[in-house]
């Protein structure tokens, strides 16, 4: 199978975004394309190469060879400012940093944040939260407090 280009992936995901918004408006439930859209947007905006499917522990690589896990949250206007959790961050695989892609209700990118492995590991292993310790699930606010915004670039 030929490796798709980012442009080819983008065309398909543009259709998926429209379907996801329509599905949510119709049912009130997410369609389940948030992660794929976030991975694509991080690759497009930060000039990353998407890894092969099922690469252990990471989904993208930069020009320096750094490996990234990518977590994505679509945050509708009505939920902004409320507590949101990321999916599980796995510490048992090789990766260098985690990117957090925040999307709006139309699945368009709002911000991308990056946190390094040492900061992520310390936050997950800090005493006090069973969800965080057992599942590696950080709150978006915690991720932002230990990371740095990488897109859009701060002036």
């Amino acid at each position: 199978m030929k490796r798709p280009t980012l442009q080819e992936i983008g065309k398909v995901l543009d259709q998926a975004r429209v379907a996801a918004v329509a599905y949510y408006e119709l049912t009130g439930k997410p369609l389940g394309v948030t992660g794929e859209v976030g991975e694509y947007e991080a690759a497009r905006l930060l000039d990353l190469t998407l890894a092969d499917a099922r690469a252990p522990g990471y989904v993208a690589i930069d020009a320096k060879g750094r490996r990234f896990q990518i977590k994505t949250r679509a945050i509708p206007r009505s939920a902004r400012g409320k507590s949101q959790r990321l999916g599980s961050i796995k510490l048992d695989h090789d990766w260098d940093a985690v990117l957090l892609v925040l999307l709006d209700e139309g699945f368009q990118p709002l911000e991308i944040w990056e946190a390094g492995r040492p900061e992520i590991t310390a936050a997950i292993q800090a005493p006090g939260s069973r969800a965080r310790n057992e599942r590696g699930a950080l709150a978006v606010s915690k991720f932002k407090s230990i990371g740095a915004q990488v897109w859009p670039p701060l002036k």
Side-chain angles (χ1 to χ4, degrees):
M1 178 179 200
K2 172 185 149 283
R3 186 178 189 89
T5 66
L6 271 182
Q7 292 78 15
E8 291 170 324
I9 293 169
K11 285 181 184 178
V12 171
L13 287 178
D14 284 344
Q15 296 169 357
R17 286 181 227 247
V18 171
V21 169
Y23 184 81
Y24 186 81
E25 288 173 353
L26 186 64
T27 67
K29 299 186 296 189
L31 186 57
V33 297
T34 307
E36 289 78 8
V37 171
E39 290 171 9
Y40 163 76
E41 289 297 352
R44 181 179 71 84
L45 295 167
L46 302 177
D47 197 26
L48 305 175
T49 300
L50 292 173
D52 292 332
R54 316 251 188 284
Y58 63 96
V59 296
I61 305 166
D62 71 7
K64 297 176 186 173
R66 293 187 322 141
R67 297 156 302 176
F68 296 93
Q69 286 190 38
I70 299 175
K71 303 299 177 186
T72 308
R73 294 295 300 175
I75 303 176
R77 288 188 207 291
S78 61
R80 291 190 192 149
K82 296 180 182 173
S83 180
Q84 300 273 333
R85 285 210 168 276
L86 303 181
S88 171
I89 298 173
K90 302 195 180 357
L91 297 177
D92 57 346
H93 291 292
D94 289 332
W95 51 272
D96 301 298
V98 176
L99 295 170
L100 168 60
V101 180
L102 299 177
L103 304 173
D104 67 15
E105 56 278 345
F107 295 89
Q108 297 299 321
L110 294 168
E111 300 172 348
I112 302 176
W113 292 75
E114 178 181 330
R117 187 178 186 111
E119 294 80 14
I120 294 284
T121 301
I124 288 173
Q125 293 177 343
S129 170
R130 190 169 159 201
R132 186 183 63 228
N133 298 143
E134 291 180 7
R135 295 189 303 269
L138 292 176
V140 169
S141 58
K142 180 62 176 177
F143 191 98
K144 285 179 161 187
S145 77
I146 63 171
Q149 185 175 329
V150 295
W151 186 91
L154 297 175
K155 296 177 182 173

